[in-house]
Amino acid sequence: MSEPKTYYITTPIYYVNGKPHIGSALSTLCCDVLARYHGLLGRKTWFLTGTDEQATKVHEAAVAAGIPVEEFVDGLAAEFKQTWTSLDIHPDDFIRTTEPRHTLAVQEFFRRLQATGDVYKGLYEGWYCVSDETFFRDSDVGENPKCPNAECGKPLQRVQEENYFFRLSAYSDRLLAHIEANPGFLQPEFRRNEVISFIKQGLRDMSITRANTGWGIPVPDDPTRVIYVWFDALINYIAAAGWPNDPDQFAELWPADVHLMGKEIFVRFHATLWPAMLMALGLAVPTTVYSHGWWVDAEGKKEGKRTGGLPHPTEFAAEIARVSGCNQAIGVDALRYLLLREMVFPGDSEFDTDSFLRRYNSDLANDLGNLCNRSANMAARYCDSRVPQPVEADPIVTAMCADSVTAFHDAIREFRFNAALEAVWRLIGSMNRYIEEKAPWKLAKQGETRAVDDAIYHCLEATRIAGTLLLPVMPTAARCVLAQVGLGDEGAAPSFVTDLNWGGLEVGSVLPPPEPVFPRIDLAAVQTAPAQKEKKLVTDEPAESSIQVQEPERPEYIGIEDFLKVQLRVGNVTAAEKHPNADKLLKLTVELGDETRTVLAGIAEMYQPDELVGRQVVVVANLAPRKMRGIESQGMLLAADVEGQAILLRPETQVPSGARVR
Ligand code: ME8
């Protein structure tokens, strides 16, 4: 049997006229996730990204910055590479269009098309938009010579020059036939329809050179002209795959399985010009060309280098780490998750820092955090920190896992990354409800040890499946989740072929001490500064923080007389229930010697009411009573704050109720 073809995935190559932002990060991250996903399925993958450097606008940006253009592009290409590494994105190849392998491929492509007659010389008269690097005819432009692209609208340059043309008009029928015969070629479907109408309006031959003003790839044997940047840039996909000088590598990689990009460069360039260029040389066209939408502002306008409204991804990840208190690698994973979960593929989505942070708390700190922490804590408490023996597989839970796995695969294959994550979160949500319903702490009190073991096994096993599914999106955090269920790094490399079925945990295996992965962000302490929001974040100046956190107050010493003012006493919890009007509060009845108090505590996310009854707590007994959501609290419990989670304090051994603490 012959080896399956290497799965070849590409991002657009980014113009080096500015720094990367979370728009460029989105496309690159999608490709990284696809590469990891197919790798987990056992396929050999090849993931290409790079930089587009021979554009007029890149030259203009270098001139404006007062930096020699070669130095300017070197600096920004390095910045892009470094940014991807910082986001745990690891392309197999990074192509720069100033590299000899690319120049050579572009000139060879041009020569071969000249030889077949698909490239010919003619007079070009029309308009050029430097910002969009696009030619426009008189008929595309109104009275006012402004770029017809609504996102741009910049003044156009009038061009009248002897140029070389590509015979694009000859390929309309072949393009339409290919699109019709290959429904998976252009995705999503509604954009394929845009391409069909664009082609049906009539394709005209296209100018593919410009006058040489000192930057660009020279036309072979005609140094007065340089090759038009789009004709040049698209060839990167085959140049990096070994064309024309490495036929073995080319045969292994080409055709690309997926070209992925934003929608503005889909119809005209990736779905029309590029396949026509390949057809003209008799080369196979890519299997799938997919375009996603944009991060937009509140008015629906595209954000990016032009508006400066999108943060630098490395800085954004560092800010998430800083405001949540998690480590850098977890901050990066949080950003990877949030980018793919907040973008509603294949449409546009508003970029809003606040909603990213809210989702961090709700999805990562709460939902995923609760499932992991509670499963691990219960296993530690009731199962001697080992994977317990289940009674039998609960068909409802196994079906939930299987459904989540199927929905995840389906969504990734359709490039609906947000839907893939939603599928995992449906499982996480169901398992959090399962814990509430089974209430293992109640079963433990009733001495139902087999039922406790059974429930906890189901929680751990479902956590394992959810953690495995998250590997392509959050590689570090998913490994932390798997470590919590006893699958540390020392085991076999994870695989989507074998590890997504029910029953992967080994009964009796030892679990490490529970350790929360995503600390909560104290949203009240984090303010998004409106002035910062307005600021252009993607600039050459060192970007300032987009998020401001109130500085913690400096500690001040207090005298013993101050400390003695606080009366601390040990109490016994005799009853506990949820506060009827506040999700986060529990209402406890606490005996302090011969006194009975009602104490409200914000610990509902960490403790079930029933597990608290009968335990001892430490109470601040002389705190002024305070009404919270309609009920008066007559004291406060002491708790350790572990990454935002409250862990109650209690005496080491049982002490008389009401004992003073000093
Ligand atoms: O177009 N939302 O390069 P470019 C989502 N060099 N994605 C966004 C985005 C946003 N607001 N802004 C940018 C070029 N992107 C050419 C490509 S390929 C042969 C040549 C992403 O630096 C998206 O993928 O302008 C978009 O297509 C790409 O960055 C444009 O990058």
Tab-separated table of all heavy atoms in Angstrom, residues 437-469:
chain	number	residue	atom	x	y	z
A	437	GLU	N	-25.726	15.974	40.198
A	437	GLU	CA	-26.791	14.978	40.361
A	437	GLU	C	-26.336	13.782	41.184
A	437	GLU	O	-27.034	13.293	42.046
A	437	GLU	CB	-27.267	14.489	38.985
A	437	GLU	CG	-28.226	15.464	38.343
A	437	GLU	CD	-28.264	15.298	36.834
A	437	GLU	OE1	-27.934	14.200	36.333
A	437	GLU	OE2	-28.606	16.291	36.153
A	438	LYS	N	-25.143	13.288	40.888
A	438	LYS	CA	-24.664	12.095	41.613
A	438	LYS	C	-24.266	12.443	43.039
A	438	LYS	O	-24.325	11.600	43.923
A	438	LYS	CB	-23.451	11.478	40.897
A	438	LYS	CG	-23.793	10.863	39.570
A	438	LYS	CD	-24.375	9.466	39.761
A	438	LYS	CE	-24.970	8.976	38.459
A	438	LYS	NZ	-25.572	7.669	38.513
A	439	ALA	N	-23.820	13.668	43.269
A	439	ALA	CA	-23.385	14.137	44.590
A	439	ALA	C	-22.582	13.073	45.339
A	439	ALA	O	-23.040	12.539	46.360
A	439	ALA	CB	-24.591	14.585	45.398
A	440	PRO	N	-21.389	12.737	44.854
A	440	PRO	CA	-20.616	11.656	45.487
A	440	PRO	C	-20.395	11.877	46.983
A	440	PRO	O	-20.291	10.914	47.727
A	440	PRO	CB	-19.283	11.685	44.726
A	440	PRO	CG	-19.601	12.296	43.412
A	440	PRO	CD	-20.687	13.284	43.673
A	441	TRP	N	-20.343	13.138	47.430
A	441	TRP	CA	-20.140	13.401	48.863
A	441	TRP	C	-21.313	12.877	49.692
A	441	TRP	O	-21.139	12.402	50.799
A	441	TRP	CB	-19.903	14.898	49.090
A	441	TRP	CG	-20.931	15.754	48.418
A	441	TRP	CD1	-22.088	16.217	48.955
A	441	TRP	CD2	-20.906	16.204	47.070
A	441	TRP	NE1	-22.785	16.931	48.020
A	441	TRP	CE2	-22.083	16.944	46.843
A	441	TRP	CE3	-20.000	16.040	46.004
A	441	TRP	CZ2	-22.385	17.533	45.622
A	441	TRP	CZ3	-20.296	16.626	44.792
A	441	TRP	CH2	-21.483	17.361	44.601
A	442	LYS	N	-22.538	12.932	49.080
A	442	LYS	CA	-23.704	12.387	49.799
A	442	LYS	C	-23.600	10.864	49.856
A	442	LYS	O	-23.825	10.248	50.872
A	442	LYS	CB	-24.980	12.735	49.023
A	442	LYS	CG	-25.628	14.022	49.450
A	442	LYS	CD	-27.016	14.090	48.849
A	442	LYS	CE	-27.452	15.525	48.753
A	442	LYS	NZ	-28.501	15.736	47.776
A	443	LEU	N	-23.248	10.307	48.664
A	443	LEU	CA	-23.123	8.843	48.604
A	443	LEU	C	-22.082	8.370	49.608
A	443	LEU	O	-22.246	7.343	50.270
A	443	LEU	CB	-22.714	8.409	47.185
A	443	LEU	CG	-23.710	8.729	46.069
A	443	LEU	CD1	-23.103	8.488	44.697
A	443	LEU	CD2	-24.967	7.865	46.236
A	444	ALA	N	-21.000	9.162	49.748
A	444	ALA	CA	-19.923	8.775	50.663
A	444	ALA	C	-20.461	8.757	52.091
A	444	ALA	O	-20.159	7.854	52.873
A	444	ALA	CB	-18.752	9.736	50.543
A	445	LYS	N	-21.298	9.745	52.395
A	445	LYS	CA	-21.837	9.815	53.756
A	445	LYS	C	-22.759	8.632	54.049
A	445	LYS	O	-22.822	8.138	55.161
A	445	LYS	CB	-22.608	11.127	53.929
A	445	LYS	CG	-21.955	11.934	55.025
A	445	LYS	CD	-22.812	12.958	55.633
A	445	LYS	CE	-22.986	14.128	54.695
A	445	LYS	NZ	-24.070	14.961	55.067
A	446	GLN	N	-23.431	8.190	52.955
A	446	GLN	CA	-24.337	7.053	53.139
A	446	GLN	C	-23.590	5.720	53.080
A	446	GLN	O	-24.194	4.659	53.096
A	446	GLN	CB	-25.420	7.075	52.050
A	446	GLN	CG	-26.365	8.258	52.192
A	446	GLN	CD	-27.004	8.641	50.853
A	446	GLN	OE1	-26.766	8.000	49.831
A	446	GLN	NE2	-27.802	9.690	50.864
A	447	GLY	N	-22.268	5.786	52.907
A	447	GLY	CA	-21.461	4.561	52.885
A	447	GLY	C	-21.566	3.809	51.559
A	447	GLY	O	-21.204	2.637	51.465
A	448	GLU	N	-22.049	4.477	50.501
A	448	GLU	CA	-22.206	3.804	49.187
A	448	GLU	C	-20.891	3.865	48.420
A	448	GLU	O	-20.786	4.536	47.395
A	448	GLU	CB	-23.284	4.530	48.367
A	448	GLU	CG	-24.608	4.685	49.034
A	448	GLU	CD	-25.579	3.600	48.594
A	448	GLU	OE1	-25.138	2.692	47.878
A	448	GLU	OE2	-26.738	3.667	48.978
A	449	THR	N	-19.893	3.143	48.895
A	449	THR	CA	-18.560	3.300	48.304
A	449	THR	C	-18.493	2.917	46.828
A	449	THR	O	-17.819	3.578	46.052
A	449	THR	CB	-17.523	2.432	49.052
A	449	THR	OG1	-18.195	1.650	49.989
A	449	THR	CG2	-16.464	3.256	49.689
A	450	ARG	N	-19.218	1.871	46.435
A	450	ARG	CA	-19.134	1.457	45.022
A	450	ARG	C	-19.726	2.542	44.122
A	450	ARG	O	-19.212	2.829	43.048
A	450	ARG	CB	-19.866	0.132	44.809
A	450	ARG	CG	-19.070	-1.037	45.417
A	450	ARG	CD	-19.623	-2.353	44.955
A	450	ARG	NE	-19.312	-2.623	43.563
A	450	ARG	CZ	-20.065	-3.366	42.767
A	450	ARG	NH1	-21.183	-3.882	43.200
A	450	ARG	NH2	-19.702	-3.572	41.511
A	451	ALA	N	-20.818	3.148	44.597
A	451	ALA	CA	-21.457	4.213	43.802
A	451	ALA	C	-20.546	5.446	43.738
A	451	ALA	O	-20.458	6.119	42.703
A	451	ALA	CB	-22.805	4.570	44.398
A	452	VAL	N	-19.850	5.723	44.845
A	452	VAL	CA	-18.907	6.858	44.842
A	452	VAL	C	-17.813	6.588	43.809
A	452	VAL	O	-17.510	7.430	42.950
A	452	VAL	CB	-18.252	7.039	46.246
A	452	VAL	CG1	-17.140	8.081	46.190
A	452	VAL	CG2	-19.282	7.410	47.279
A	453	ASP	N	-17.247	5.387	43.872
A	453	ASP	CA	-16.173	5.027	42.933
A	453	ASP	C	-16.670	5.132	41.494
A	453	ASP	O	-15.979	5.652	40.614
A	453	ASP	CB	-15.693	3.592	43.189
A	453	ASP	CG	-14.839	3.501	44.445
A	453	ASP	OD1	-14.594	4.555	45.061
A	453	ASP	OD2	-14.437	2.384	44.807
A	454	ASP	N	-17.865	4.632	41.283
A	454	ASP	CA	-18.418	4.625	39.932
A	454	ASP	C	-18.547	6.059	39.397
A	454	ASP	O	-18.104	6.369	38.284
A	454	ASP	CB	-19.794	3.951	39.959
A	454	ASP	CG	-20.313	3.685	38.562
A	454	ASP	OD1	-19.682	2.896	37.846
A	454	ASP	OD2	-21.322	4.315	38.172
A	455	ALA	N	-19.129	6.937	40.208
A	455	ALA	CA	-19.342	8.327	39.759
A	455	ALA	C	-17.998	9.007	39.508
A	455	ALA	O	-17.814	9.700	38.489
A	455	ALA	CB	-20.140	9.089	40.802
A	456	ILE	N	-17.058	8.810	40.416
A	456	ILE	CA	-15.772	9.511	40.264
A	456	ILE	C	-15.006	8.970	39.058
A	456	ILE	O	-14.376	9.727	38.313
A	456	ILE	CB	-14.962	9.451	41.578
A	456	ILE	CG1	-15.733	10.238	42.650
A	456	ILE	CG2	-13.548	10.001	41.397
A	456	ILE	CD1	-15.149	10.208	44.026
A	457	TYR	N	-15.112	7.668	38.822
A	457	TYR	CA	-14.462	7.122	37.621
A	457	TYR	C	-15.024	7.812	36.373
A	457	TYR	O	-14.268	8.225	35.482
A	457	TYR	CB	-14.696	5.603	37.517
A	457	TYR	CG	-14.125	5.047	36.228
A	457	TYR	CD1	-12.793	4.648	36.151
A	457	TYR	CD2	-14.901	4.976	35.068
A	457	TYR	CE1	-12.246	4.190	34.958
A	457	TYR	CE2	-14.368	4.523	33.872
A	457	TYR	CZ	-13.041	4.128	33.821
A	457	TYR	OH	-12.504	3.695	32.638
A	458	HIS	N	-16.360	7.951	36.316
A	458	HIS	CA	-16.969	8.581	35.134
A	458	HIS	C	-16.485	10.018	34.957
A	458	HIS	O	-16.235	10.471	33.840
A	458	HIS	CB	-18.498	8.508	35.214
A	458	HIS	CG	-19.024	7.157	34.833
A	458	HIS	ND1	-19.014	6.086	35.700
A	458	HIS	CD2	-19.538	6.693	33.666
A	458	HIS	CE1	-19.507	5.021	35.077
A	458	HIS	NE2	-19.836	5.362	33.842
A	459	CYS	N	-16.349	10.724	36.077
A	459	CYS	CA	-15.862	12.115	35.981
A	459	CYS	C	-14.431	12.143	35.444
A	459	CYS	O	-14.096	12.940	34.570
A	459	CYS	CB	-15.857	12.787	37.354
A	459	CYS	SG	-17.493	12.974	38.014
A	460	LEU	N	-13.595	11.271	35.984
A	460	LEU	CA	-12.183	11.281	35.571
A	460	LEU	C	-12.050	10.878	34.103
A	460	LEU	O	-11.289	11.473	33.338
A	460	LEU	CB	-11.361	10.321	36.446
A	460	LEU	CG	-11.224	10.711	37.927
A	460	LEU	CD1	-10.610	9.564	38.723
A	460	LEU	CD2	-10.369	11.978	38.079
A	461	GLU	N	-12.814	9.868	33.708
A	461	GLU	CA	-12.690	9.369	32.334
A	461	GLU	C	-13.216	10.408	31.325
A	461	GLU	O	-12.602	10.639	30.278
A	461	GLU	CB	-13.444	8.034	32.221
A	461	GLU	CG	-13.465	7.389	30.853
A	461	GLU	CD	-12.097	7.047	30.256
A	461	GLU	OE1	-11.069	7.157	30.935
A	461	GLU	OE2	-12.070	6.718	29.053
A	462	ALA	N	-14.325	11.069	31.665
A	462	ALA	CA	-14.840	12.112	30.763
A	462	ALA	C	-13.864	13.288	30.725
A	462	ALA	O	-13.666	13.906	29.666
A	462	ALA	CB	-16.221	12.564	31.209
A	463	THR	N	-13.244	13.590	31.858
A	463	THR	CA	-12.231	14.659	31.872
A	463	THR	C	-11.061	14.273	30.968
A	463	THR	O	-10.516	15.110	30.249
A	463	THR	CB	-11.715	14.889	33.322
A	463	THR	OG1	-12.825	15.150	34.156
A	463	THR	CG2	-10.743	16.044	33.388
A	464	ARG	N	-10.704	13.006	30.993
A	464	ARG	CA	-9.607	12.548	30.122
A	464	ARG	C	-9.976	12.766	28.651
A	464	ARG	O	-9.166	13.290	27.868
A	464	ARG	CB	-9.323	11.052	30.373
A	464	ARG	CG	-8.156	10.508	29.556
A	464	ARG	CD	-8.064	8.995	29.626
A	464	ARG	NE	-9.176	8.335	28.941
A	464	ARG	CZ	-9.262	8.176	27.626
A	464	ARG	NH1	-8.296	8.621	26.842
A	464	ARG	NH2	-10.311	7.581	27.085
A	465	ILE	N	-11.207	12.424	28.288
A	465	ILE	CA	-11.600	12.564	26.869
A	465	ILE	C	-11.647	14.049	26.486
A	465	ILE	O	-11.125	14.447	25.438
A	465	ILE	CB	-12.935	11.829	26.612
A	465	ILE	CG1	-12.659	10.324	26.735
A	465	ILE	CG2	-13.520	12.195	25.246
A	465	ILE	CD1	-13.842	9.424	26.541
A	466	ALA	N	-12.206	14.880	27.366
A	466	ALA	CA	-12.247	16.325	27.067
A	466	ALA	C	-10.820	16.868	26.953
A	466	ALA	O	-10.498	17.612	26.018
A	466	ALA	CB	-13.018	17.063	28.158
A	467	GLY	N	-9.954	16.492	27.874
A	467	GLY	CA	-8.561	16.971	27.859
A	467	GLY	C	-7.852	16.536	26.582
A	467	GLY	O	-7.099	17.305	25.980
A	468	THR	N	-8.105	15.320	26.134
A	468	THR	CA	-7.461	14.829	24.905
A	468	THR	C	-7.934	15.653	23.709
A	468	THR	O	-7.126	16.075	22.872
A	468	THR	CB	-7.788	13.329	24.700
A	468	THR	OG1	-7.429	12.632	25.888
A	468	THR	CG2	-7.043	12.747	23.515
A	469	LEU	N	-9.255	15.913	23.649
A	469	LEU	CA	-9.779	16.703	22.523
A	469	LEU	C	-9.157	18.101	22.490
A	469	LEU	O	-9.039	18.705	21.428
A	469	LEU	CB	-11.303	16.828	22.619
A	469	LEU	CG	-12.112	15.589	22.233
A	469	LEU	CD1	-13.591	15.807	22.542
A	469	LEU	CD2	-11.942	15.248	20.751
